[in-house]
C-alpha cells in the first residue's frame, strides 16, 4: 500500500514551458487535492476533485489545469510556466471520518523551479 | 478571508520539556480540526484530529475551545525526534476546504 505517490520529485522548467505533475493514490479515496507550499505562505489549495468526474477551483487556480483521470489519478498541468509558479506541489487524498471530519493524506511532493 | 493563525516560533526546548502550541481560527462555522507534523523537505503527516472533548495520543494532547476559537497541542516529555514544524488546520466550512496555518517550528535540543 503506497498511499499517495507523485511524479516527478524534482523538475526545472524554463519560462513558457509546459508540464504535467502526476498523482496517484491506492487508498480508494474519493477526494483528491493539489496544493502549493511557499515559504511564509503555508499550504494553499489550487484545485480539488470531490469525486471522479468532478473538479473545482481552490484558492489559487490561475495558471493551472487539472484532470481527474479516474478514481486513482489526479494530474496538475502548467500550460505556460512562470517564475511565480516556483514552489513545492503536494497532492493529497481524503476520506471522511466517522465524525464527519475530512482527513487528508499527502504525497511526498514535487519541487518545481521555473527559471 | 478565513484564516488559521499560529505562532511561527521557533520554539527551542530541551529534551524532556513540555511544550504547548496554540492556534486561533477565524471561521466560526469550522467543524473539524487537525494537527499535522511536517519534517524539513517532507510532506505534512497527520498527527491527530482534534475533538471538542479533547483527545490524547501518548505524549500528545489536543484541545479545542470553540467559544474562544482556539486549538492547542501539548507535547509532554519532548524527544529529539519531535523536532519538526507543526501545522494547525481547520476546515473552511465546505468539503475540500481545509485552511492550513503557516506552522510552528519546534526544535528539541539534547
Amino acid at each position: 500500500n503506497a498511499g499517495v505517490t507523485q511524479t516527478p520529485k524534482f523538475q526545472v522548467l524554463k519560462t513558457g514551458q509546459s508540464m504535467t505533475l502526476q498523482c496517484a493514490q491506492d487508498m480508494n479515496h474519493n477526494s483528491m487535492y493539489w496544493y502549493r507550499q511557499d515559504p511564509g505562505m503555508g499550504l494553499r489549495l489550487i484545485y480539488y476533485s470531490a469525486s471522479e468526474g468532478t473538479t473545482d477551483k481552490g484558492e489559487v487556480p490561475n495558471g493551472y489545469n487539472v484532470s481527474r483521470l479516474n478514481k486513482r489519478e489526479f494530474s496538475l498541468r502548467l500550460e505556460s510556466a512562470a517564475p511565480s509558479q516556483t514552489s513545492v506541489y503536494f497532492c493529497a487524498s481524503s476520506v471522511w471520518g466517522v465524525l464527519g471530519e475530512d482527513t487528508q493524506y499527502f504525497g511526498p511532493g514535487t519541487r518545481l523551479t521555473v527559471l | 478571508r478565513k484564516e488559521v493563525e499560529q505562532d511561527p516560533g521557533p520554539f527551542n526546548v530541551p529534551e524532556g520539556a513540555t511544550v504547548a502550541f496554540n492556534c486561533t481560527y477565524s471561521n466560526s462555522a469550522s467543524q473539524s480540526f487537525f494537527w499535522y507534523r511536517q519534517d524539513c523537505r517532507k510532506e505534512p503527516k497527520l498527527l491527530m484530529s482534534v475533538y471538542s472533548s479533547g483527545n490524547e495520543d501518548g505524549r500528545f494532547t489536543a484541545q479545542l475551545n470553540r467559544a474562544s476559537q482556539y486549538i492547542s497541542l501539548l507535547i509532554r516529555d519532548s524527544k529529539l525526534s519531535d523536532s519538526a514544524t507543526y501545522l494547525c488546520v481547520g476546515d473552511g466550512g465546505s468539503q475540500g476546504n481545509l485552511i492550513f496555518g503557516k506552522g510552528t517550528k519546534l526544535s528539541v535540543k539534547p
Side-chain angles (χ1 to χ4, degrees):
Chain A
N1 193 342
V4 181
T5 57
Q6 293 182 235
T7 56
K9 286 187 167 52
F10 301 94
Q11 185 70 48
V12 178
L13 294 177
K14 294 180 180 177
T15 297
Q17 287 185 314
S18 62
M19 78 161 295
T20 299
L21 281 63
Q22 307 287 353
C23 173
Q25 53 91 11
D26 62 2
M27 296 178 284
N28 201 36
H29 288 172
N30 285 322
S31 301
M32 297 184 73
Y33 311 84
W34 276 104
Y35 291 90
R36 61 178 288 173
Q37 187 174 38
D38 303 292
M41 296 295 294
L43 280 155
R44 293 182 292 170
L45 182 66
I46 305 171
Y47 270 94
Y48 70 98
S49 171
S51 61
E52 188 178 350
T54 68
T55 60
D56 285 286
K57 294 178 180 179
E59 181 184 354
V60 288
N62 291 344
Y64 306 95
N65 286 301
V66 290
S67 295
R68 183 72 182 268
L69 304 169
N70 47 56
K71 191 172 186 179
R72 291 187 63 248
E73 299 171 288
F74 188 37
S75 63
L76 178 72
R77 183 160 178 84
L78 287 70
E79 290 292 352
S80 178
S84 60
Q85 294 178 303
T86 293
S87 188
V88 181
Y89 291 85
F90 289 104
C91 177
S93 67
S94 73
V95 61
W96 289 98
V98 294
L99 298 179
E101 72 276 23
D102 184 22
T103 305
Q104 296 188 14
Y105 298 89
F106 286 80
T110 295
R111 295 185 175 275
L112 175 67
T113 301
V114 183
L115 302 175
Chain B
R1 184 177 180 277
K2 301 168 186 173
E3 292 190 343
V4 172
E5 302 282 350
Q6 46 183 143
D7 185 338
F11 283 56
N12 297 307
V13 303
E15 267 187 296
T18 295
V19 61
F21 305 138
N22 291 323
C23 100
T24 59
Y25 61 94
S26 63
N27 184 9
S28 58
S30 295
Q31 295 295 314
S32 306
F33 302 91
F34 310 89
W35 283 100
Y36 278 76
R37 171 197 168 122
Q38 187 172 24
D39 292 288
C40 187
R41 301 180 72 83
K42 298 287 189 181
E43 73 272 25
K45 292 186 177 178
L46 179 68
L47 181 63
M48 57 200 306
S49 300
V50 186
Y51 302 118
S52 294
S53 55
N55 47 304
E56 186 174 312
D57 183 2
R59 297 181 293 108
F60 299 84
T61 300
Q63 293 277 353
L64 167 62
N65 184 319
R66 288 193 185 275
S68 301
Q69 295 186 201
Y70 82 79
I71 306 124
S72 64
L73 176 68
L74 184 74
I75 305 175
R76 291 180 297 279
D77 189 23
S78 299
K79 312 291 185 190
L80 295 177
S81 58
D82 293 333
S83 296
T85 296
Y86 291 82
L87 307 177
C88 178
V89 186
D91 77 77
S94 60
Q95 198 230 335
N97 190 17
L98 289 187
I99 309 297
F100 286 79
K102 296 178 182 177
T104 297
K105 186 172 182 178
L106 172 66
S107 181
V108 182
K109 306 291 187 184

